[in-house]
Amino acid sequence: MEFFYNVKAFTRRGFGVLAVDKSFDEALEVTRIHSVAGLLKQRGTLVSDRPFRSPHHSASGPSLVGGGSFPKPGEISLAHRGILFLDELTEFKRDVLEFLRQPLEDGYVTISRARQSLGFPAQFTLVASTNPCPCGYFGDTVQSCTCSPRQREQYWAKLSGPLMDRIDLQVAVNRLKPEEMVQVSGGESSEVVRERVELARDRANHRFVDESLRCNAEMQSRHLKKWCHLDDNSRLLLEGAIRKLGLSARATDRVLKVGRTIADLAGDEQLQTHHVAEAIQYRTIDRMQ
């Protein structure tokens, strides 16, 4: 298959210029996938923006992972190096959600057919949202939940333990107060936040200069031992969290990766106790059901 690209499109926006070689490689990977899927708008165009895919909750397994008589990339591969957003996560079929487990762990998906087996890259950031129960009011401070414990249990049963293990940040968002809904926000601008994130990514790129890694999420056990060293207080804190929350080995590794990222955002070279503590509090939502 012929593959064409336009370098000028890459240099304007999207994949950034902090790590030009790596960013250009990423843009090339994304463009190849979209070319195979027949989604390039124009021959000779490089995909310069990071992908954002948002499939409906009625999506089937093949549409998510890819398939067909002549296998083509699915939504998770089309989101490679970008974001896969799953709104109303618990409305997806459980067997469809289980297809996410292997790509979230390996960053790759394999599609096997009688005549051939194809592999597509699938390194994406999963962003998902869901209500706390079928009626949407479990834990609400204003309106009472009308669901029975059995209904809530069945609702959350679609999200298996192994899948939740692979979701690094699990945040419960409370109802806004009326005054908060109408007030003019005085928070940070997106530009300020983006600059801080780019600096954190730059620190990670510098740390991994001799490794085949692009970000903290790709660290393996040997990397965690090298760059996520824990002092005595941090170790005791993490051990207590493992016992109390029942964290698996996979979830524990992800706590360390998130802690390392929090430290990078703060500009700290060493992983400290408060970084680990903040990372731990993002692992609690899977205990709500």
Side-chain angles (χ1 to χ4, degrees):
M1 174 180 294
E2 290 184 292
F3 177 71
F4 302 88
Y5 56 87
N6 182 343
V7 177
K8 292 181 180 178
F10 163 74
T11 58
R12 295 193 188 109
R13 67 186 190 282
F15 282 84
V17 294
L18 288 178
V20 175
D21 292 338
K22 287 186 177 181
S23 295
F24 182 72
D25 289 344
E26 290 174 356
L28 230 70
E29 291 174 359
V30 172
T31 305
R32 288 192 182 102
I33 294 170
H34 282 68
S35 177
V36 171
L39 296 180
L40 286 185
K41 296 181 180 179
Q42 168 183 349
R43 182 183 176 94
T45 299
L46 186 76
V47 177
S48 58
D49 292 325
R50 293 191 179 274
F52 179 90
R53 307 293 299 186
S54 180
H56 190 262
H57 59 74
S58 62
S60 65
S63 70
L64 202 64
V65 301
S69 301
F70 298 94
K72 288 187 177 181
E75 291 291 341
I76 60 176
S77 291
L78 293 172
H80 181 62
R81 301 299 181 191
I83 292 175
L84 177 67
F85 177 55
L86 301 183
D87 194 18
E88 301 293 350
L89 184 65
T90 46
E91 297 298 328
F92 284 80
K93 294 181 179 179
R94 180 181 172 118
D95 60 339
V96 172
L97 292 177
E98 290 300 290
F99 283 122
L100 293 170
R101 287 167 53 178
Q102 185 243 337
L104 283 172
E105 190 70 21
D106 303 329
Y108 207 77
V109 61
T110 302
I111 303 172
S112 299
R113 293 293 182 268
R115 295 182 178 180
Q116 59 182 331
S117 180
L118 295 178
F120 296 110
Q123 292 184 320
F124 55 90
T125 298
L126 174 64
V127 179
S129 65
T130 188
N131 287 318
C133 66
C135 78
Y137 293 108
F138 180 63
D140 190 78
T141 56
V142 177
Q143 188 162 338
S144 299
C145 173
T146 59
C147 304
S148 67
R150 177 61 177 168
Q151 287 175 315
R152 289 195 293 267
E153 182 180 349
Q154 291 177 333
Y155 183 76
W156 282 97
K158 290 186 178 181
L159 306 182
S160 68
L163 176 61
M164 294 301 292
D165 267 355
R166 291 166 169 82
I167 299 179
D168 296 347
L169 309 179
Q170 306 169 6
V171 182
V173 181
N174 297 321
R175 175 197 290 265
L176 291 175
K177 298 177 181 178
E179 59 270 23
E180 293 174 329
M181 297 177 67
V182 298
Q183 72 180 8
V184 178
S185 175
E188 293 180 299
S189 67
S190 297
E191 288 75 14
V192 172
V193 175
R194 175 173 180 166
E195 182 179 355
R196 186 164 63 248
V197 171
E198 287 178 340
L199 287 173
R201 290 295 294 263
D202 224 14
R203 292 187 184 97
N205 286 331
H206 179 73
R207 183 164 57 246
F208 301 141
V209 66
D210 296 324
E211 304 280 351
S212 57
L213 303 176
R214 297 175 188 264
C215 59
N216 293 330
E218 296 180 4
M219 288 193 293
Q220 303 297 321
S221 295
R222 60 186 179 89
H223 303 121
L224 294 174
K225 292 178 181 179
K226 182 176 181 181
W227 287 305
C228 297
H229 176 73
L230 299 177
D231 58 25
D232 291 341
N233 289 334
S234 299
R235 187 176 297 106
L236 288 174
L237 177 65
L238 185 55
E239 287 177 358
I242 293 171
R243 293 191 183 95
K244 185 174 181 179
L245 299 178
L247 298 180
S248 66
R250 180 183 291 109
T252 302
D253 284 351
R254 289 175 178 266
V255 166
L256 292 175
K257 294 176 187 180
V258 172
R260 178 65 267 174
T261 300
I262 293 171
D264 288 341
L265 287 168
D268 295 330
E269 291 298 324
Q270 298 297 323
L271 190 62
Q272 301 177 28
T273 304
H274 62 277
H275 300 142
V276 178
E278 183 176 348
I280 289 171
Q281 70 179 0
Y282 296 133
R283 298 295 316 184
T284 57
I285 202 171
D286 54 340
R287 308 303 164 189
M288 287 176 54
Q289 45 281 46

